[in-house]
Structures are given as C-alpha cells and as structure tokens.
Amino acid sequence: MTKFNLSALKLSPWLSSALAVAVLSGCASKIDTAAQQQQINEFVAKAISAEQFMGEDEQNWWHKLGSAQLNQLVSNALANNYDLQTSQLVLKSALARIGEQQAQYLPQGGIEIGAKRSGLGNTNSRQSSANVALDWQLDLFGRITALVDAANSQAMSQAEQVRLLQIEVVSAVIKGFVSYQGNLQKQQIIEMQIEALEQSIQVLQAQVDEGVANELDLNRTMAQLRQQQALVPAIEYAKYRDLSTLAVLSAQTTQSLSINDERTILTKAFAVSLAKPNDAIALRPDISRALFDFSQANSLSVAASKALLPDISLSGFAGVLSLGSNGFSDTQQQWQVAPQLQWSLLSYPALLAQRDAQQFLSQAAYTDYQQVVLKAINESELSLQLLVNQAQQSRFAEQRYQFANNAFLQAQAMYEEGQIPYLELLDARQDVLIAQENAVDSTISSLLAKVNAYQSFNGRWSYALSSTN
C-alpha cells in the first residue's frame, strides 16, 4: 500500500481529509474519482465566492457576442485543429489499450496444425498433428484488475486532455478575433489623426509662407504626424499576427483566411454569467486529469505490489496425432491440463525495487494533484479580480476620453477666436489622441478579461462542448 503524507497539503485540513478518502479507497482497488470530485466541489464552495456572477448557463458563451463570423471560426477550429486531432487519436489508442488489458482475463493460446514426411534409407514415414494450447492466468490477487484500472484511468486522463485542448482552442480563437477587431479600431483612429494632422500642416504651411505663423508650430505638427505614421506598420503587423494565430488554430494558411470588419463586437453588452460557479471550477479538465493520473499511478502501484505474490494459472492442450498419414486418418487423441503456481522468489529484490519506484511515482502524482487544485482555485480567483479591475479601468478610460474630447473641442473654438495659440490646440489634440487610444485598449482588455474568466471557469461549458463534438 502506498503511504501519503496528508500534512503536506497546504490548502486546508478540510481538503486534506477529503483527499484522504481517495487515498484510502485506492488501497482497496482504485481511486473513487466521482466521490473525489464531489469533495473538491464542496471545498471550492468554501474557498471562492462568485455569487455576483451567477446567472444563465454558460454553454456556448461566445454566442452572446452575436457574431456569426466568430461562431464559424470556433466551429472550424474545433473541427480542423491539428493538435485536437492528434489528442483525439491518442485517446482512441488509450481506449484500445483498455481492451488489451481486459483480454488478460481470458485464456490465451492458439492453434497449431502441422504435417511432415521424412525418410531414412528405404523407410518413409508421414505424420500429421493438430493441437489447441491454452494458458489461463487466474487473477486471484487482483493484479490484472489493477492493470485494467490503470488503463481506464489513462484513457480518462487523455479524454480530459482533449477537453483541455478544446478550451484552449476556443479561448484562443475568441481572443485572436477580439484582438484583430481591436487593432482595426486602433488603425482607424490612427488614420483619422494622420488625416487631421496633414490638413493642419497644409494650413500651417500656407500661414508660414504668408508670415502669419512660425515654423515652430509647423515642425511640432510634423513631428506628431511622423509619430502617428510610425504606428501604421506596427498595427499592420499586429493584424497579421492575429490572422496568423487564427489560421494556425483552424488549420489554414494566413493568406487563405479572411476576417471581416466587425468592430461593433467591442461595444457589445457582454457580461460573465455562470450557472454554477463551484461546478465550473471543480469540473475543470486540469483537475480531473490530475485526479485520473493519480488514479492510474495508484493502480500501477497496486499492481506492482501484487507482483510480489505468486502467479496461479491453468495451462493445457488438446489435439490429435495421425501416424502414417498426412490426412488425419487413423488419429489418436491427446490432451493435458496442468495447474501451475509460479513465484519469482529469486526476483524478489527487483520486484521490491519496482514496487518502491511505483509508490514514489504514485506519491508524485498525488502531490501534483494537490498543486493543480491549488493553482486552479487561485487562477479562478485571479480571473475574477482581473475582471473587476478591468471593468473599472475601462470606465475611467472612457470618462477620460470624454473629458479630453470636450477639452479639444473647446480648444478648437478658442483657437478659431484667437484666444489661444496653435500650440495649445496641438496639445489638446495630442491629449484626445492618447485618451482615445487608451479607451480602446481598455475596452479590448476588459473584453479579454471576460473571455479569460470563462476560460478559468470552464468545467461545465467544456463538458457540454465535448458532448456535442
């Protein structure tokens, strides 16, 4: 039996006792994963408070953005992504290995049919035979059962890996789409500012030629123009980078992918709503996968312990033997049944070392499980904090833009009336430019924070996604 130090768990004594249930159940046969997930659910309810986000079901939550283009991108990525296809094929392999282990319950053997003809001097002889040989390993001590349990846990772990990849693919597609639309919006702002500055330069150049304005105003305006023009290639690269990300996710080339202008998605009323926040964390695939990995390691540890016990099997054969004929005429029947007990006493040191090694691996899987639970809870809490903070920043950024825009309009009117010099108008224009860009960045960040929250609270919607694919 593998021993675990429950005091090493830093989450809480309550969770330590919850995990102890899984460990003790594993000593008998295997980890009770269903009971363990329920224990984690109860612990999450005590650790995280997300009542303010409770609402409608989060299944297909990205549909709230109302973008048919985005919905199609997600569907294409789920259907064509190569990483997902690879993981699904590995899952099929793991499922096949379950059948391979279960076959060990059945008798093993085969059929042998042969005929020969030989001669010695003037004497020729012929002989034919047909035999069925069987060997049946009796699982009296549960070693085969433990190996079957390990294969089942491995397959379940791989199934959770598929679900984890689906979450990453969906979230990455939505983030890439939002980023692309945000870059389109920022590109438009830059183009508007460039156009306004070029118009100002034309006016200032004419005034300088007439001696009405000085070259200081003209040079400062030219400097602002070059500053905005320098942002154009950066925005173009950012857009191409977003397209490249979306293309890889959907198994396409960047040149073959086209995204339509849908900047209205940035202003959509999109809020995080979770039907059962506690389940959304407890059913996360990273937690489930770590649990199944622990279950697999525990089952392999049990199997290694059972290898110290004797193997009991039944072997036998039945067949017919024909002398003097190659056609099975005038045959004689033969059969044999032999119970066998095999105990590798001389291999005990090696078997003990294998058992100890597997027990250490089981302990390692257990501590990894604790770490994954802790990380998932902290990540979920952090995503909620980011969501609240980004909403506040977005609100302040929008207010800043409104004030800066009002100040620019006032400065423009005062300049036209001759109350302020042109340099002050340029400063006001620069302020509104910075405020406008900051407002767009805050809007994008706020939307991405919402996507990040759904990505962290992924347990329920990812299960629903897996059942439909």
Side-chain angles (χ1 to χ4, degrees), residues 99-339:
E100 176 187 353
Q101 292 295 340
Q102 289 176 335
Q104 299 301 313
Y105 285 122
L106 304 175
Q108 309 296 309
I111 299 175
E112 179 182 357
I113 300 176
K116 66 179 181 179
R117 183 174 182 177
S118 60
L120 179 61
N122 296 325
T123 304
N124 296 323
S125 63
R126 292 179 294 177
Q127 179 179 318
S128 58
S129 63
N131 296 302
V132 176
L134 299 176
D135 183 77
W136 190 5
Q137 185 78 30
L138 301 180
D139 191 34
L140 298 181
F141 301 107
R143 187 181 68 86
I144 296 178
T145 298
L147 292 175
V148 171
D149 292 339
N152 273 302
S153 296
Q154 182 185 18
M156 294 301 296
S157 174
Q158 184 57 36
E160 294 303 313
Q161 174 64 19
V162 172
R163 192 159 65 96
L164 188 61
L165 280 175
Q166 288 177 330
I167 292 168
E168 293 176 356
V169 167
V170 170
S171 301
V173 167
I174 297 170
K175 289 178 180 179
F177 185 78
V178 169
S179 178
Y180 182 82
Q181 300 301 333
N183 284 322
L184 281 179
Q185 181 67 23
K186 289 191 284 187
Q187 184 180 37
Q188 184 188 34
I189 294 173
I190 293 173
E191 290 174 350
M192 291 172 59
Q193 293 300 326
I194 289 176
E195 181 181 359
L197 287 170
E198 288 176 342
Q199 292 176 355
S200 298
I201 289 173
Q202 292 177 0
V203 173
L204 281 173
Q205 185 64 59
Q207 292 179 346
V208 168
D209 294 341
E210 295 174 0
V212 178
N214 57 58
E215 291 190 0
L216 174 63
D217 295 345
L218 179 61
N219 288 331
R220 291 194 63 178
T221 307
M222 291 288 292
Q224 288 191 13
L225 175 61
R226 295 297 182 265
Q227 179 184 9
Q228 295 304 309
Q229 289 175 333
L231 297 176
V232 173
I235 287 293
E236 289 292 344
Y237 173 77
K239 287 168 54 184
Y240 191 86
R241 181 191 58 208
D242 293 335
L243 283 177
S244 177
T245 299
L246 292 171
V248 171
L249 289 169
S250 55
Q252 301 181 60
T253 61
T254 307
Q255 290 75 14
S256 64
L257 181 63
S258 176
I259 304 296
N260 297 327
D261 186 344
E262 203 170 343
R263 285 171 288 168
T264 54
I265 197 174
L266 301 175
T267 58
K268 284 281 185 180
F270 177 62
V272 175
S273 177
L274 305 167
K276 296 179 180 179
N278 298 337
D279 286 347
I281 298 177
L283 298 177
R284 280 174 49 136
D286 52 349
I287 293 179
S288 299
R289 189 178 188 218
L291 177 57
F292 287 123
D293 287 343
F294 171 40
S295 178
Q296 179 190 9
N298 183 77
S299 296
L300 291 175
S301 179
V302 172
S305 298
K306 301 301 183 183
L308 297 172
L309 302 176
D311 289 333
I312 300 176
S313 62
L314 293 176
S315 63
F317 73 91
V320 294
L321 177 65
S322 175
L323 298 174
S325 172
N326 292 126
F328 293 105
S329 61
D330 190 19
T331 59
Q332 296 179 0
Q333 297 181 354
Q334 54 182 353
W335 61 272
Q336 177 182 313
V337 176

